[in-house]
Amino acid sequence: MNQQILAEKKKTVEELTELIKGSHSTVVVSYSGLAVSEVNKLRSDLKKVGCRLSVQKNTLMRKACDADGLSQLDSCFTGQNGIVTSKEEGQGLGVLKSFKDAHKEFTIKGGIIDGTYCDEQTLNSLASVGSKENAISIFLSTLQSPLVLFALTLKAVGEKAN
């Protein structure tokens, strides 16, 4: 193989490796059957929420993932694939889920979120929770709910006694 081609491939793997290392979540998606305009729309939507869709040959993406210790994703690299990376855990999952709902050909194959492998079903569940801030607000409202009910009950008892 030509040395120039090998050098270009090596550079591409290094760039992908750096992109993956700087990310808290890496999700492998399949865009087979989608038009270029649809993939560009997905890229645009992901960019709005701080994510990036990278498309390279499967062998190059696999090598970049393996270099960063994400070998669990190796089985995902069959067909036409892309890697969605984000700086924050789970960022962009909502965009991927809504895009998947609108385009039946699109699939979320699997991903690594902050070092933990997640299959398609787990990623869809996480997407329904939403952003990190949304998850925190759901958690806090769950904690707050019994206290509010207790306070309302005490208020009602106090009003009834008067």
Side-chain angles (χ1 to χ4, degrees):
M1 196 179 285
N2 189 342
Q3 293 298 329
Q4 182 181 4
I5 294 171
L6 282 174
E8 288 174 11
K9 288 183 177 184
K10 186 175 181 181
K11 182 181 176 193
T12 301
V13 169
E14 288 172 359
E15 289 171 357
L16 279 172
T17 302
E18 287 303 313
L19 180 66
I20 292 169
K21 280 184 181 181
S23 301
H24 282 284
S25 66
T26 303
V27 178
V28 179
V29 297
S30 174
Y31 60 92
S32 182
L34 294 175
V36 174
S37 61
E38 293 171 322
V39 175
N40 287 338
K41 170 90 170 86
L42 174 62
R43 269 198 176 120
S44 173
D45 292 346
L46 287 169
K47 190 174 184 179
K48 289 176 187 174
V49 295
C51 298
R52 180 176 173 182
L53 172 64
S54 303
V55 176
Q56 292 292 336
K57 290 186 175 184
N58 284 333
T59 54
L60 300 179
M61 290 189 291
R62 186 180 298 119
K63 284 182 182 185
C65 287
D66 289 347
D68 196 33
L70 306 179
S71 58
Q72 301 102 320
L73 295 177
D74 285 353
S75 61
C76 297
F77 293 112
T78 55
Q80 293 179 318
N81 299 302
I83 295 178
V84 177
T85 54
S86 66
K87 300 282 183 194
E88 206 170 300
E89 297 92 347
Q91 194 174 14
L93 289 177
V95 173
L96 292 175
K97 186 174 185 320
S98 63
F99 191 83
K100 180 185 174 200
D101 292 342
H103 301 87
K104 300 302 176 198
E105 311 86 20
F106 182 77
T107 56
I108 302 169
K109 291 188 163 187
I112 304 283
I113 297 181
D114 209 21
T116 305
Y117 176 77
C118 301
D119 60 3
E120 180 182 0
Q121 184 178 8
T122 304
L123 291 172
N124 284 328
S125 297
L126 290 172
S128 64
V129 171
S131 67
K132 185 177 183 179
E133 291 79 19
N134 190 35
I136 290 171
S137 70
I138 290 171
F139 176 69
L140 291 176
S141 68
T142 303
L143 289 177
Q144 184 181 9
S145 179
L147 294 174
V148 170
L149 290 174
F150 181 69
L152 290 173
T153 304
L154 285 178
K155 182 180 176 188
V157 169
E159 289 174 353
K160 190 175 184 182
N162 289 335

